[in-house]
């Protein structure tokens, strides 16, 4: 174990990161949901009896890609704010894996460093493959 960083401090940091990540994700999604209801709450329900392809809809949104979500958040689009909350929620456990990797490295626990690095690489590769 690294002499400068007690074991419980790193675990506290990991727990704090998880709490902050979930809280921030909920706040972002709540803001997006409240804004969506404010803007669209009085509109009539959509007609779900007929399928309309995305490219033929009057409202064009791109909340299925990270760049589209970021662009929509910057342009104050409610659906993209909700999606950003989901993205932050997804990133929260990934940050936990990274912090665990740091903790195991500081403790010089190389077996767990290797296992955690493999887990992180699998998550990263799946995320990049899903984005393509």
């Amino acid at each position: 174990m690294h002499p400068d960083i007690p074991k419980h401090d790193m675990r506290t940091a990991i727990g704090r990161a998880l709490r902050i990540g979930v809280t921030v994700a909920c706040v972002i999604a709540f803001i997006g949901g409240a804004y969506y209801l404010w803007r669209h709450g009085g509109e009539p329900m959509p007609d779900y009896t007929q399928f309309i392809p995305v490219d033929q809809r009057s409202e064009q949104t791109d909340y299925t890609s990270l760049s589209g979500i970021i662009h929509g958040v910057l342009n104050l689009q409610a659906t993209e704010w909700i999606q950003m909350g989901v993205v932050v929620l997804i990133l929260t456990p990934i940050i936990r894996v990274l912090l665990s990797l740091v903790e195991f490295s500081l403790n010089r626990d190389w077996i767990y460093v290797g296992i955690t690095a493999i887990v992180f690489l699998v998550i990263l590769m799946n995320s990049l493959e899903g984005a393509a």
Side-chain angles (χ1 to χ4, degrees):
M1 176 149 154
H2 197 271
D4 297 337
I5 301 176
K7 185 182 260 186
H8 70 287
D9 284 349
M10 198 62 194
R11 290 187 183 152
T12 302
I14 291 171
R16 187 175 295 129
L18 291 172
R19 282 190 300 277
I20 291 171
V22 170
T23 302
V24 168
C26 289
V27 167
I28 292 171
F30 179 81
I31 290 170
Y35 183 57
Y36 184 85
L37 288 175
W38 180 62
R39 295 282 308 239
H40 304 285
E43 294 177 3
M45 290 291 293
D47 180 19
Y48 291 116
T49 59
Q50 185 180 24
F51 177 75
I52 301 172
V54 174
D55 58 348
Q56 295 177 7
R57 293 183 193 163
S58 60
E59 181 182 327
Q60 293 295 320
T61 58
D62 185 20
Y63 51 82
T64 59
S65 69
L66 188 57
S67 62
I69 292 170
I70 292 170
H71 183 264
V73 166
L74 295 175
N75 289 312
L76 301 177
Q77 299 295 317
T79 51
E80 281 80 353
W81 273 79
I82 296 168
Q83 285 293 91
M84 182 58 81
V86 173
V87 168
V88 171
L89 190 62
I90 290 169
L91 289 176
T92 300
I94 296 171
I95 290 171
R96 190 245 189 267
V97 172
L98 282 174
L99 289 174
S100 296
L101 186 62
V102 170
E103 178 186 19
F104 294 138
S105 297
L106 292 174
N107 292 334
R108 292 178 168 66
D109 197 342
W110 304 120
I111 291 174
Y112 283 110
V113 167
I115 293 169
T116 307
I118 290 170
V119 169
F120 179 71
L121 288 174
V122 167
I123 292 170
L124 186 65
M125 288 171 49
N126 284 330
S127 297
L128 294 176
E129 181 180 321

